[in-house]
Amino acid sequence: MSASFERLIDGIIDALQIHVVPNSNDDFVRGQVFSAIYALNGLKLAADWKAGPLLEQVRLQDDTFAAVKRLADGMMHPESPAMPRIPSDMSDAAVIEALRDDGDRQLGQLLLWASGADARAVNRDLATEIEQLLRRAICDQLKIELATTPKSMLQQIAGGERDGGVAQG
């Protein structure tokens, strides 16, 4: 997405929030304006959807797989993928998304293993450490996902502010 497109969308949103919303006494019109703002925010995020956030998630997964391999050395555990999974010149978002989704599946299998009786029977402390590592990595990946998700329309309506905050008065 070009910077000018992002500025255009931001300008439209600002105009709606600064000039239309405060000057409208009709709840129906205000609701429609907030719906338009929500749609514009979604459009801005969708237009910006490049391989970047997906690549960041896959790299996070790869770092996690490497850490699990290192920590679980000698323990029988679900197989981790060969690294790196993405060549440095990869930019096809659909292919990267498929790798990310497969990585999610494999992380889930590792988490089930680390939190299960078999891993705990071999080394309870190490299994707990691996489980915590996996849970942190999954949370970090969700933070990346949430950063590319538009704010709730209800949050914007309730707050009346650009980022869904409460209006100051």
Side-chain angles (χ1 to χ4, degrees), residues 34-105:
F34 279 114
S35 294
I37 291 169
Y38 179 75
L40 288 167
N41 278 322
L43 175 65
K44 185 170 79 170
L45 287 173
D48 195 26
W49 186 252
K50 296 180 184 175
L54 291 170
L55 285 170
E56 190 176 350
Q57 288 177 316
V58 171
R59 286 186 191 112
L60 176 67
Q61 290 175 344
D62 286 353
D63 291 347
T64 305
F65 289 133
V68 169
K69 277 185 182 180
R70 187 182 70 258
L71 289 170
D73 188 35
M75 295 176 75
M76 294 295 294
H77 59 83
E79 190 174 329
S80 295
M83 311 289 183
R85 292 184 295 158
I86 297 180
S88 60
D89 62 343
M90 173 69 71
S91 62
D92 184 347
V95 171
I96 298 169
E97 185 176 20
L99 284 171
R100 193 261 332 253
D101 292 348
D102 189 53
D104 284 344
R105 182 188 55 75

Side-chain angles (χ1 to χ4, degrees), residues 2-58:
S2 70
S4 61
F5 179 75
E6 185 174 358
R7 282 194 306 269
L8 174 69
I9 297 294
D10 286 342
I12 294 169
I13 291 170
D14 286 343
L16 290 171
Q17 289 177 325
I18 293 168
H19 300 290
V20 177
V21 172
N23 295 316
S24 176
N25 296 326
D26 186 334
D27 288 339
F28 177 77
V29 172
R30 289 174 60 91
Q32 294 300 308
V33 171
F34 279 114
S35 294
I37 291 169
Y38 179 75
L40 288 167
N41 278 322
L43 175 65
K44 185 170 79 170
L45 287 173
D48 195 26
W49 186 252
K50 296 180 184 175
L54 291 170
L55 285 170
E56 190 176 350
Q57 288 177 316
V58 171

